[in-house]
Amino acid sequence: HSQPLFLPQKKKKNKRKKMDSVRLKYVKLGYAYLVNNFLRLLLVPIMWASTVEVLRMGPEEILAVLGSSAGHLDRIQILFFLLLVVFIFTVYLMSKPRPIYLVDYALYKPSPVWRVPFSTFMEHSRLNRPYSPKSVEFQMRILERSGLGEETCLPPAIHYIPVEPTVEAAHEEAETVIFTTIDDLLSKTGVKPRDIDILIVNCSLFSPTPSLSAMVINKYKMRSNIKSFSLSGMGCSCSPISVDLARDLLQIQPNSYALVVSTEILTPNYYQGKERAMLLPNCLFRMGCAAILLTNKSKEKNRAKYQLMHVVRTHKGSDEKAYRCVYQEEDPEGKVGISLSKDLMSIAGEALKSNITTIGPLVLPASEQLLFLLSLISRKIFHPNGKPYIPDFKQAFEHFCIHAGGRGVIDQLQKNLELSPAHVEASRMTLHRFGNTSSSSLWYELGYIETKGRMKKGDRVWQIAFGSGFKCNSAVW
Amino acid sequence: MVNHSKNGKEEEAGLVYGHRLSSIGPARVTGDVVYEPSNIDLAMKLHYLRVVYLFDKEAVEGLNLSKHKLKEALFSWLNFYYETCGRFRRSDDTGRPYIKCNDCGMRFVEAKSSLTLEEWLTLPANSLKRLVPHHVIGPELNFSPPTFLQMTFLSCGGMSLGLSWAHVLGDAFSVASFMNSLGPFLKGLQPTSSPNFNKSPPHIQKTAKKTTSFSPLSVKKVGPVEDNWAIDPPCEMDSFSFHLTGQQLAQLCESEGASDPIQPFECIFAAIWRAIVKIKGGSEPNVVTVIKSGPKADDMLLRNNQIVSSVKADFSVAEAHVND
């Protein structure tokens, strides 16, 4: 084929670019290594110098030096000194937070009887809303762009024409979903229900009396002195919140198991009106549940899957726009639904930035933090409008679990954090197979990574969740 | 066609009440599969087969299935008959209908009945209509299920399954084998082979012969129906059934010195024809359309296998012997 005139130069340019980028990579690596191991590197010459000194002085000289300094003190002072050291050491040990281990977790796999192919969703939508063809079309467009597959599931009550969102149906859904998952977890871990000391159930949209945690305690005949909590209304970001609560409780209660159940019960919340902002949840939310067993028992250290490193919670509720971003209200016809505002993406971006600012110093290696600091200073002094330096979180984590809120959320985060498609694959596949399962989606993603065999010992995972409020919560394992 | 669910007030009054509509489809994703009906299939598109299966209490209890397990069995069964769960589309260039196997599902009706099985059997056959949904395809092809299934729970503990089937999918023998294949699934048995995704009937391309000047006697042309695949019957149709013992059949078919033995089907239809002519008086009709089953196809395939032919009699049917 023909050779255009400029091809040889272009080849050279590409080659140069490639060489440049490779060089840059090595520079970055070298820099990172230098900064991260700075103290160690500093220690080396000190150690060397002192070894040389010691070797130079003979053993008698060393003893003489020690003896002269020790001679100034009498026994009581030495004893006091030793006691002080022991005391400080004990205080340090006591104030160290207990390590929290994740023994195992179980995910709910809905029966294919409840699956919702696109065509069925559309047909039922048309039959349920004979007077709003525009809303049906809108839902179809959302579904096509949503990233959901043909195997996502809705609870049985939603499959009827017309839908039957009764309280009884919601209870049935809760029982099926939660009990199946807990059964699975208990059989996986071998823990008995009577051994559970702390129970936290989070479900944003369904909050019956007695609570879902009471329902679990009733079914499994748990102990009467169990500490149970039922978190509701906290949106899709509730899973790290529950984990944080469990962690705090496990700090004060030694030798305990905490069971955390994250789910979303969809039956009562199928929106039956035609406001576009409220139709989105119908298209995206699907059945799901995760049950997690946490503990501070040191005997579980060997078989535990993960250890909890950090939980960072960011709440943007003080900002009015963020507060109203995901809001449950009645539409002009009186039908209740959850309205999602158009600013959702930008508000999520802001919340993420806040969260990153807090989590950065905790997890980033020193090299990235220094770079961030330098770029911050240079932006403040030299270029006020310069692009902020986004720390490379890929150096801090091997795996990312981004809440599968929708394709837009995952795309946005992939761009913001400069992640590769492989990093967000777990999120996309969870969205495709299970839909947006709200708070449990982080766990489905973790399960996906494990199933694919990518999780190795020592890998660090970052779970990021967004939710109404507007909150951005992270958990680091 | 939407069947609105009835409220509790009709509970005690109606024979069949508490209708709840939903859809059942294949458990696994079928994927991008298209089912192309053949010419004979499309010739039958205005017809529907409706059949009711009645199960007594022992049969239902013997199954020992919870409602959920029952639905799981139905979904596994439909893995193999995904074409009944698709929707019709018209091809862009020729306008010929085909089925897009998009797993949209069969319409499923759950209902209850205040009668027992025995009571249902004493009612005239016409009342059994209530146990079967009466659907037609259209006016919107894209959103019309080709099949409806109604599961009615009788007050004695028995159950009825009413199937409303678009003839375009297959003939009565296909329906029978379709329903019979549900049996093993209800018992929890899984088939040994996976579904066949190449089920479209073979398309026979006939070379164009010289155009015939007469229209076939066995089929009658109706006006254009567009996408509403239903016809108004010329008169009220009812079904009638009677039993023949082996002895009666043998008596009917005895042939004296005939070259080949006469098939029972021919004997029966001849006897009915003669009877109708005698009842009507005169010599009409002397042409009848006969639909017989063709060669049997593969087990899990749905086919319109009937051979439609017409028989013309030159002699007085009323006077003739069955053998003629």
Short mmCIF file of all heavy atoms in Angstrom, two decimals, chain A residues 111-115 117-124 126-127 130-131 136 149-151 156-157 159-162 164 176, chain B residues 1-3 5 20-23 26-30 68 71-72 75 87 102-105 107 110 140 142-145:
data_model
loop_
_atom_site.label_atom_id
_atom_site.label_comp_id
_atom_site.label_asym_id
_atom_site.label_seq_id
_atom_site.Cartn_x
_atom_site.Cartn_y
_atom_site.Cartn_z
N SER A 111 -34.21 -16.00 42.27
CA SER A 111 -34.65 -17.07 41.39
C SER A 111 -34.94 -16.52 40.00
O SER A 111 -35.48 -15.43 39.86
CB SER A 111 -35.91 -17.69 41.98
OG SER A 111 -36.57 -18.47 41.04
N PRO A 112 -34.61 -17.27 38.94
CA PRO A 112 -34.90 -16.77 37.58
C PRO A 112 -36.38 -16.57 37.32
O PRO A 112 -36.76 -15.93 36.35
CB PRO A 112 -34.31 -17.84 36.67
CG PRO A 112 -34.08 -19.03 37.51
CD PRO A 112 -33.91 -18.57 38.90
N VAL A 113 -37.23 -17.09 38.19
CA VAL A 113 -38.67 -16.89 38.05
C VAL A 113 -39.00 -15.40 38.12
O VAL A 113 -39.97 -14.93 37.53
CB VAL A 113 -39.41 -17.64 39.17
CG1 VAL A 113 -40.85 -17.23 39.27
CG2 VAL A 113 -39.31 -19.13 38.95
N TRP A 114 -38.16 -14.62 38.81
CA TRP A 114 -38.46 -13.21 38.98
C TRP A 114 -37.66 -12.32 38.04
O TRP A 114 -37.60 -11.11 38.23
CB TRP A 114 -38.16 -12.78 40.42
CG TRP A 114 -39.01 -13.51 41.40
CD1 TRP A 114 -40.33 -13.82 41.26
CD2 TRP A 114 -38.61 -14.05 42.65
NE1 TRP A 114 -40.77 -14.51 42.35
CE2 TRP A 114 -39.73 -14.65 43.23
CE3 TRP A 114 -37.40 -14.06 43.35
CZ2 TRP A 114 -39.69 -15.30 44.46
CZ3 TRP A 114 -37.36 -14.67 44.58
CH2 TRP A 114 -38.49 -15.28 45.12
N ARG A 115 -37.08 -12.91 37.00
CA ARG A 115 -36.24 -12.07 36.17
C ARG A 115 -37.10 -11.20 35.26
O ARG A 115 -38.24 -11.53 34.96
CB ARG A 115 -35.23 -12.88 35.39
CG ARG A 115 -35.71 -13.53 34.13
CD ARG A 115 -34.54 -14.19 33.44
NE ARG A 115 -34.94 -14.83 32.23
CZ ARG A 115 -34.78 -14.35 31.01
NH1 ARG A 115 -34.19 -13.19 30.85
NH2 ARG A 115 -35.19 -15.02 29.96
N PRO A 117 -36.85 -9.56 31.70
CA PRO A 117 -36.26 -9.19 30.41
C PRO A 117 -36.78 -7.82 30.00
O PRO A 117 -37.85 -7.41 30.41
CB PRO A 117 -36.79 -10.27 29.46
CG PRO A 117 -37.36 -11.33 30.32
CD PRO A 117 -37.76 -10.70 31.60
N PHE A 118 -36.01 -7.13 29.17
CA PHE A 118 -36.41 -5.80 28.72
C PHE A 118 -37.82 -5.80 28.15
O PHE A 118 -38.62 -4.92 28.44
CB PHE A 118 -35.47 -5.32 27.59
CG PHE A 118 -34.18 -4.78 28.09
CD1 PHE A 118 -33.65 -5.17 29.30
CD2 PHE A 118 -33.46 -3.87 27.34
CE1 PHE A 118 -32.44 -4.69 29.74
CE2 PHE A 118 -32.26 -3.37 27.77
CZ PHE A 118 -31.74 -3.77 28.97
N SER A 119 -38.09 -6.81 27.31
CA SER A 119 -39.37 -6.81 26.62
C SER A 119 -40.52 -6.95 27.62
O SER A 119 -41.56 -6.31 27.47
CB SER A 119 -39.42 -7.95 25.61
OG SER A 119 -39.00 -9.14 26.23
N THR A 120 -40.33 -7.77 28.64
CA THR A 120 -41.39 -7.94 29.64
C THR A 120 -41.59 -6.64 30.41
O THR A 120 -42.73 -6.24 30.66
CB THR A 120 -41.02 -9.06 30.63
OG1 THR A 120 -40.50 -10.15 29.91
CG2 THR A 120 -42.22 -9.49 31.43
N PHE A 121 -40.50 -5.99 30.76
CA PHE A 121 -40.61 -4.72 31.50
C PHE A 121 -41.41 -3.72 30.69
O PHE A 121 -42.31 -3.05 31.20
CB PHE A 121 -39.20 -4.18 31.77
CG PHE A 121 -39.17 -2.94 32.62
CD1 PHE A 121 -39.24 -3.04 34.00
CD2 PHE A 121 -39.09 -1.69 32.05
CE1 PHE A 121 -39.21 -1.90 34.78
CE2 PHE A 121 -39.07 -0.55 32.83
CZ PHE A 121 -39.13 -0.65 34.20
N MET A 122 -41.10 -3.64 29.40
CA MET A 122 -41.80 -2.70 28.53
C MET A 122 -43.28 -3.03 28.42
O MET A 122 -44.14 -2.18 28.51
CB MET A 122 -41.20 -2.75 27.14
CG MET A 122 -39.91 -2.00 27.00
SD MET A 122 -39.95 -0.47 27.89
CE MET A 122 -41.29 0.31 27.03
N GLU A 123 -43.55 -4.34 28.22
CA GLU A 123 -44.94 -4.72 28.00
C GLU A 123 -45.77 -4.46 29.26
O GLU A 123 -46.87 -3.91 29.20
CB GLU A 123 -45.03 -6.19 27.60
CG GLU A 123 -46.35 -6.54 26.99
CD GLU A 123 -46.32 -7.92 26.35
OE1 GLU A 123 -45.88 -8.02 25.20
OE2 GLU A 123 -46.76 -8.87 27.03
N HIS A 124 -45.23 -4.83 30.40
CA HIS A 124 -45.95 -4.59 31.65
C HIS A 124 -46.13 -3.11 31.91
O HIS A 124 -47.18 -2.67 32.40
CB HIS A 124 -45.19 -5.24 32.83
CG HIS A 124 -45.38 -6.71 32.92
ND1 HIS A 124 -45.62 -7.36 34.10
CD2 HIS A 124 -45.39 -7.67 31.97
CE1 HIS A 124 -45.75 -8.66 33.88
NE2 HIS A 124 -45.60 -8.87 32.60
N ARG A 126 -46.46 -0.81 29.69
CA ARG A 126 -47.54 -0.33 28.84
C ARG A 126 -48.89 -0.73 29.41
O ARG A 126 -49.83 0.05 29.37
CB ARG A 126 -47.43 -0.96 27.44
CG ARG A 126 -46.40 -0.30 26.57
CD ARG A 126 -46.39 -0.91 25.20
NE ARG A 126 -47.36 -0.29 24.33
CZ ARG A 126 -48.46 -0.84 23.89
NH1 ARG A 126 -48.77 -2.05 24.24
NH2 ARG A 126 -49.26 -0.19 23.09
N LEU A 127 -48.99 -1.94 29.90
CA LEU A 127 -50.27 -2.39 30.41
C LEU A 127 -50.62 -1.69 31.72
O LEU A 127 -51.79 -1.45 32.01
CB LEU A 127 -50.24 -3.91 30.62
CG LEU A 127 -50.15 -4.71 29.32
CD1 LEU A 127 -49.85 -6.16 29.62
CD2 LEU A 127 -51.44 -4.60 28.54
N PRO A 130 -51.75 2.63 30.76
CA PRO A 130 -52.32 2.75 29.41
C PRO A 130 -52.47 4.18 28.95
O PRO A 130 -52.59 4.43 27.76
CB PRO A 130 -53.68 2.06 29.54
CG PRO A 130 -53.98 2.05 30.99
CD PRO A 130 -52.70 2.05 31.72
N TYR A 131 -52.44 5.14 29.87
CA TYR A 131 -52.69 6.51 29.43
C TYR A 131 -51.44 7.36 29.35
O TYR A 131 -51.51 8.56 29.16
CB TYR A 131 -53.70 7.18 30.38
CG TYR A 131 -54.93 6.33 30.53
CD1 TYR A 131 -55.23 5.72 31.74
CD2 TYR A 131 -55.76 6.09 29.45
CE1 TYR A 131 -56.34 4.90 31.87
CE2 TYR A 131 -56.86 5.28 29.56
CZ TYR A 131 -57.15 4.68 30.77
OH TYR A 131 -58.22 3.88 30.90
N VAL A 136 -43.75 5.51 29.00
CA VAL A 136 -43.29 4.17 28.63
C VAL A 136 -42.08 4.28 27.71
O VAL A 136 -41.07 3.60 27.88
CB VAL A 136 -44.42 3.39 27.95
CG1 VAL A 136 -43.93 2.04 27.50
CG2 VAL A 136 -45.58 3.21 28.90
N GLY A 149 -28.67 -5.94 32.28
CA GLY A 149 -28.81 -7.07 31.38
C GLY A 149 -30.20 -7.65 31.45
O GLY A 149 -31.12 -7.03 31.99
N GLU A 150 -30.35 -8.87 30.93
CA GLU A 150 -31.68 -9.48 30.88
C GLU A 150 -31.93 -10.43 32.03
O GLU A 150 -32.90 -11.17 32.04
CB GLU A 150 -31.83 -10.26 29.55
CG GLU A 150 -31.68 -9.40 28.33
CD GLU A 150 -33.00 -9.15 27.63
OE1 GLU A 150 -33.94 -9.93 27.84
OE2 GLU A 150 -33.11 -8.16 26.90
N GLU A 151 -31.02 -10.43 33.01
CA GLU A 151 -31.21 -11.37 34.11
C GLU A 151 -31.49 -10.69 35.43
O GLU A 151 -31.54 -11.36 36.46
CB GLU A 151 -29.95 -12.22 34.26
CG GLU A 151 -29.74 -13.18 33.11
CD GLU A 151 -28.45 -13.93 33.25
OE1 GLU A 151 -27.39 -13.37 32.93
OE2 GLU A 151 -28.50 -15.07 33.73
N PRO A 156 -41.69 -10.51 43.36
CA PRO A 156 -42.90 -11.06 42.73
C PRO A 156 -44.07 -10.09 42.65
O PRO A 156 -44.78 -10.09 41.65
CB PRO A 156 -43.26 -12.27 43.62
CG PRO A 156 -42.30 -12.27 44.73
CD PRO A 156 -41.18 -11.37 44.43
N ALA A 157 -44.23 -9.24 43.66
CA ALA A 157 -45.40 -8.36 43.63
C ALA A 157 -45.38 -7.41 42.45
O ALA A 157 -46.42 -6.99 41.95
CB ALA A 157 -45.47 -7.56 44.93
N HIS A 159 -44.41 -8.09 39.51
CA HIS A 159 -44.64 -8.76 38.24
C HIS A 159 -46.09 -8.79 37.83
O HIS A 159 -46.40 -9.16 36.71
CB HIS A 159 -44.11 -10.19 38.31
CG HIS A 159 -42.62 -10.27 38.22
ND1 HIS A 159 -41.96 -10.49 37.04
CD2 HIS A 159 -41.66 -10.15 39.16
CE1 HIS A 159 -40.67 -10.51 37.26
NE2 HIS A 159 -40.46 -10.30 38.54
N TYR A 160 -46.98 -8.44 38.76
CA TYR A 160 -48.40 -8.54 38.43
C TYR A 160 -48.88 -7.30 37.70
O TYR A 160 -48.32 -6.23 37.82
CB TYR A 160 -49.22 -8.77 39.71
CG TYR A 160 -49.07 -10.17 40.21
CD1 TYR A 160 -48.22 -10.47 41.27
CD2 TYR A 160 -49.74 -11.23 39.59
CE1 TYR A 160 -48.06 -11.77 41.69
CE2 TYR A 160 -49.58 -12.53 40.02
CZ TYR A 160 -48.74 -12.79 41.07
OH TYR A 160 -48.57 -14.08 41.49
N ILE A 161 -49.96 -7.51 36.93
CA ILE A 161 -50.56 -6.39 36.19
C ILE A 161 -51.97 -6.23 36.72
O ILE A 161 -52.81 -7.07 36.41
CB ILE A 161 -50.63 -6.71 34.68
CG1 ILE A 161 -49.26 -7.10 34.15
CG2 ILE A 161 -51.18 -5.54 33.91
CD1 ILE A 161 -49.33 -7.82 32.83
N PRO A 162 -52.32 -5.24 37.46
CA PRO A 162 -51.47 -4.17 37.97
C PRO A 162 -50.60 -4.65 39.14
O PRO A 162 -50.88 -5.68 39.73
CB PRO A 162 -52.48 -3.13 38.46
CG PRO A 162 -53.67 -3.91 38.83
CD PRO A 162 -53.71 -5.10 37.91
N GLU A 164 -48.85 -5.19 42.76
CA GLU A 164 -49.53 -5.39 44.04
C GLU A 164 -48.59 -5.05 45.20
O GLU A 164 -48.13 -5.93 45.91
CB GLU A 164 -49.97 -6.85 44.16
CG GLU A 164 -50.91 -7.28 43.06
CD GLU A 164 -51.23 -8.77 43.13
OE1 GLU A 164 -50.56 -9.47 43.91
OE2 GLU A 164 -52.13 -9.21 42.40
N THR A 176 -37.93 -13.61 52.27
CA THR A 176 -37.25 -14.49 51.31
C THR A 176 -35.81 -14.05 51.13
O THR A 176 -34.88 -14.84 51.24
CB THR A 176 -37.93 -14.39 49.93
OG1 THR A 176 -39.32 -14.45 50.11
CG2 THR A 176 -37.45 -15.49 49.02
N MET B 1 -54.89 -6.79 24.95
CA MET B 1 -56.12 -7.11 25.68
C MET B 1 -55.77 -7.22 27.15
O MET B 1 -54.89 -7.94 27.54
CB MET B 1 -56.64 -8.47 25.18
CG MET B 1 -58.09 -8.65 25.45
SD MET B 1 -58.64 -10.26 24.89
CE MET B 1 -58.45 -11.23 26.35
N VAL B 2 -56.43 -6.44 27.96
CA VAL B 2 -56.07 -6.42 29.38
C VAL B 2 -57.21 -7.00 30.19
O VAL B 2 -58.36 -6.63 30.04
CB VAL B 2 -55.82 -4.97 29.85
CG1 VAL B 2 -55.54 -4.93 31.32
CG2 VAL B 2 -54.67 -4.37 29.06
N ASN B 3 -56.87 -7.92 31.04
CA ASN B 3 -57.88 -8.52 31.90
C ASN B 3 -57.68 -7.93 33.29
O ASN B 3 -56.74 -8.25 33.98
CB ASN B 3 -57.65 -10.03 31.92
CG ASN B 3 -58.90 -10.77 32.31
OD1 ASN B 3 -59.88 -10.16 32.71
ND2 ASN B 3 -58.85 -12.07 32.19
N SER B 5 -57.85 -7.25 37.15
CA SER B 5 -58.07 -8.21 38.24
C SER B 5 -59.33 -7.84 38.99
O SER B 5 -59.61 -6.67 39.22
CB SER B 5 -56.87 -8.21 39.16
OG SER B 5 -56.76 -6.97 39.80
N ARG B 20 -55.37 -12.85 38.66
CA ARG B 20 -54.16 -12.05 38.77
C ARG B 20 -53.31 -12.33 37.53
O ARG B 20 -52.99 -13.48 37.26
CB ARG B 20 -53.36 -12.44 40.01
CG ARG B 20 -54.06 -12.12 41.31
CD ARG B 20 -53.37 -12.84 42.45
NE ARG B 20 -52.22 -12.12 42.92
CZ ARG B 20 -51.26 -12.66 43.68
NH1 ARG B 20 -51.30 -13.94 43.97
NH2 ARG B 20 -50.24 -11.95 44.11
N LEU B 21 -52.96 -11.25 36.84
CA LEU B 21 -52.20 -11.40 35.60
C LEU B 21 -50.72 -11.18 35.83
O LEU B 21 -50.33 -10.27 36.53
CB LEU B 21 -52.64 -10.31 34.63
CG LEU B 21 -53.43 -10.78 33.43
CD1 LEU B 21 -54.80 -11.13 33.89
CD2 LEU B 21 -53.52 -9.66 32.42
N SER B 22 -49.90 -12.03 35.22
CA SER B 22 -48.47 -11.76 35.20
C SER B 22 -47.92 -12.44 33.95
O SER B 22 -48.68 -12.84 33.08
CB SER B 22 -47.80 -12.28 36.47
OG SER B 22 -48.02 -13.66 36.60
N SER B 23 -46.62 -12.58 33.87
CA SER B 23 -46.05 -13.24 32.69
C SER B 23 -45.09 -14.32 33.14
O SER B 23 -44.42 -14.18 34.16
CB SER B 23 -45.26 -12.25 31.83
OG SER B 23 -46.10 -11.24 31.38
N PRO B 26 -39.00 -18.01 29.72
CA PRO B 26 -37.91 -18.97 29.94
C PRO B 26 -37.01 -18.48 31.08
O PRO B 26 -36.83 -17.29 31.27
CB PRO B 26 -37.12 -18.94 28.62
CG PRO B 26 -37.89 -18.08 27.70
CD PRO B 26 -38.89 -17.31 28.45
N ALA B 27 -36.46 -19.44 31.83
CA ALA B 27 -35.59 -19.08 32.96
C ALA B 27 -34.26 -18.54 32.47
O ALA B 27 -33.68 -17.64 33.06
CB ALA B 27 -35.35 -20.30 33.85
N ARG B 28 -33.77 -19.09 31.37
CA ARG B 28 -32.49 -18.59 30.89
C ARG B 28 -32.73 -17.65 29.72
O ARG B 28 -33.73 -17.71 29.03
CB ARG B 28 -31.56 -19.73 30.50
CG ARG B 28 -32.21 -20.84 29.72
CD ARG B 28 -31.19 -21.76 29.22
NE ARG B 28 -30.39 -21.08 28.23
CZ ARG B 28 -29.56 -21.70 27.42
NH1 ARG B 28 -29.40 -22.98 27.51
NH2 ARG B 28 -28.85 -21.04 26.54
N VAL B 29 -31.71 -16.82 29.50
CA VAL B 29 -31.83 -15.82 28.44
C VAL B 29 -31.72 -16.52 27.10
O VAL B 29 -30.78 -17.26 26.85
CB VAL B 29 -30.70 -14.78 28.59
CG1 VAL B 29 -30.80 -13.74 27.51
CG2 VAL B 29 -30.78 -14.12 29.96
N THR B 30 -32.72 -16.32 26.24
CA THR B 30 -32.71 -17.01 24.96
C THR B 30 -31.69 -16.40 24.00
O THR B 30 -31.04 -17.09 23.24
CB THR B 30 -34.11 -16.94 24.32
OG1 THR B 30 -35.02 -17.56 25.22
CG2 THR B 30 -34.15 -17.63 23.00
N HIS B 68 -44.16 -21.40 44.37
CA HIS B 68 -42.91 -20.91 43.79
C HIS B 68 -42.23 -22.01 42.98
O HIS B 68 -41.74 -21.79 41.88
CB HIS B 68 -41.98 -20.40 44.89
CG HIS B 68 -40.70 -19.87 44.37
ND1 HIS B 68 -40.63 -18.72 43.62
CD2 HIS B 68 -39.43 -20.34 44.44
CE1 HIS B 68 -39.38 -18.51 43.28
NE2 HIS B 68 -38.62 -19.48 43.76
N LYS B 71 -43.88 -22.46 39.70
CA LYS B 71 -43.46 -21.46 38.73
C LYS B 71 -42.07 -21.77 38.21
O LYS B 71 -41.79 -21.57 37.03
CB LYS B 71 -43.49 -20.06 39.36
CG LYS B 71 -44.83 -19.39 39.22
CD LYS B 71 -44.70 -17.89 39.30
CE LYS B 71 -45.98 -17.23 38.80
NZ LYS B 71 -46.08 -15.85 39.25
N GLU B 72 -41.20 -22.26 39.08
CA GLU B 72 -39.85 -22.60 38.63
C GLU B 72 -39.92 -23.70 37.58
O GLU B 72 -39.17 -23.68 36.59
CB GLU B 72 -38.98 -23.05 39.80
CG GLU B 72 -38.52 -21.90 40.66
CD GLU B 72 -37.42 -22.25 41.63
OE1 GLU B 72 -37.29 -23.44 41.98
OE2 GLU B 72 -36.71 -21.34 42.03
N PHE B 75 -40.98 -22.20 34.33
CA PHE B 75 -39.91 -21.44 33.69
C PHE B 75 -38.88 -22.38 33.05
O PHE B 75 -38.38 -22.10 31.96
CB PHE B 75 -39.23 -20.52 34.71
CG PHE B 75 -39.89 -19.18 34.85
CD1 PHE B 75 -41.11 -19.04 35.48
CD2 PHE B 75 -39.28 -18.05 34.34
CE1 PHE B 75 -41.73 -17.81 35.60
CE2 PHE B 75 -39.89 -16.81 34.47
CZ PHE B 75 -41.11 -16.69 35.09
N ARG B 87 -42.55 -12.47 20.61
CA ARG B 87 -43.59 -11.59 20.10
C ARG B 87 -43.44 -11.48 18.60
O ARG B 87 -42.34 -11.53 18.07
CB ARG B 87 -43.48 -10.19 20.71
CG ARG B 87 -43.78 -10.14 22.20
CD ARG B 87 -45.23 -10.40 22.48
NE ARG B 87 -45.53 -10.35 23.90
CZ ARG B 87 -45.51 -11.41 24.71
NH1 ARG B 87 -45.21 -12.60 24.25
NH2 ARG B 87 -45.81 -11.26 25.99
N ASN B 102 -37.83 -12.84 22.28
CA ASN B 102 -37.24 -11.91 23.23
C ASN B 102 -37.61 -12.20 24.68
O ASN B 102 -37.46 -11.33 25.54
CB ASN B 102 -37.65 -10.47 22.86
CG ASN B 102 -39.15 -10.32 22.81
OD1 ASN B 102 -39.89 -11.21 23.21
ND2 ASN B 102 -39.62 -9.19 22.32
N ASP B 103 -38.10 -13.42 24.95
CA ASP B 103 -38.41 -13.83 26.33
C ASP B 103 -39.48 -12.98 26.98
O ASP B 103 -39.55 -12.93 28.22
CB ASP B 103 -37.16 -13.78 27.24
CG ASP B 103 -36.09 -14.74 26.79
OD1 ASP B 103 -36.41 -15.65 25.99
OD2 ASP B 103 -34.95 -14.59 27.23
N CYS B 104 -40.30 -12.33 26.18
CA CYS B 104 -41.31 -11.45 26.78
C CYS B 104 -42.27 -12.25 27.65
O CYS B 104 -42.72 -11.79 28.67
CB CYS B 104 -42.05 -10.72 25.68
SG CYS B 104 -42.84 -9.22 26.26
N GLY B 105 -42.59 -13.46 27.22
CA GLY B 105 -43.35 -14.35 28.10
C GLY B 105 -44.75 -14.66 27.64
O GLY B 105 -45.33 -14.01 26.80
N ARG B 107 -48.66 -14.94 28.76
CA ARG B 107 -49.44 -14.28 29.80
C ARG B 107 -49.96 -15.35 30.75
O ARG B 107 -50.46 -16.37 30.31
CB ARG B 107 -50.60 -13.50 29.16
CG ARG B 107 -51.24 -12.51 30.10
CD ARG B 107 -50.36 -11.34 30.46
NE ARG B 107 -50.31 -10.34 29.43
CZ ARG B 107 -49.17 -9.89 28.91
NH1 ARG B 107 -48.03 -10.35 29.33
NH2 ARG B 107 -49.20 -8.99 27.97
N GLU B 110 -53.63 -16.30 37.21
CA GLU B 110 -53.91 -17.13 38.39
C GLU B 110 -55.32 -16.83 38.84
O GLU B 110 -55.69 -15.67 38.96
CB GLU B 110 -52.93 -16.78 39.51
CG GLU B 110 -51.51 -17.18 39.22
CD GLU B 110 -50.55 -16.54 40.20
OE1 GLU B 110 -50.65 -16.85 41.41
OE2 GLU B 110 -49.72 -15.72 39.77
N GLU B 140 -52.01 -4.83 18.44
CA GLU B 140 -50.59 -4.50 18.32
C GLU B 140 -49.79 -5.78 18.36
O GLU B 140 -49.67 -6.42 19.41
CB GLU B 140 -50.17 -3.59 19.47
CG GLU B 140 -50.58 -2.17 19.24
CD GLU B 140 -50.49 -1.38 20.53
OE1 GLU B 140 -51.04 -1.85 21.54
OE2 GLU B 140 -49.87 -0.32 20.52
N ASN B 142 -46.67 -6.34 18.31
CA ASN B 142 -45.47 -6.35 19.15
C ASN B 142 -45.73 -6.66 20.60
O ASN B 142 -44.85 -7.09 21.31
CB ASN B 142 -44.79 -4.98 19.09
CG ASN B 142 -44.21 -4.71 17.74
OD1 ASN B 142 -44.45 -5.47 16.81
ND2 ASN B 142 -43.47 -3.64 17.62
N PHE B 143 -46.94 -6.39 21.06
CA PHE B 143 -47.22 -6.56 22.47
C PHE B 143 -48.28 -7.60 22.73
O PHE B 143 -48.90 -7.60 23.79
CB PHE B 143 -47.63 -5.22 23.09
CG PHE B 143 -46.54 -4.19 23.00
CD1 PHE B 143 -46.64 -3.14 22.10
CD2 PHE B 143 -45.41 -4.30 23.79
CE1 PHE B 143 -45.62 -2.20 22.02
CE2 PHE B 143 -44.40 -3.36 23.71
CZ PHE B 143 -44.51 -2.31 22.82
N SER B 144 -48.52 -8.49 21.76
CA SER B 144 -49.54 -9.52 21.98
C SER B 144 -48.90 -10.86 22.24
O SER B 144 -48.17 -11.37 21.39
CB SER B 144 -50.41 -9.65 20.74
OG SER B 144 -51.09 -8.46 20.50
N PRO B 145 -49.15 -11.45 23.40
CA PRO B 145 -48.59 -12.77 23.64
C PRO B 145 -49.28 -13.80 22.77
O PRO B 145 -50.51 -13.77 22.64
CB PRO B 145 -48.91 -13.04 25.12
CG PRO B 145 -49.55 -11.82 25.65
CD PRO B 145 -49.95 -10.96 24.51
#
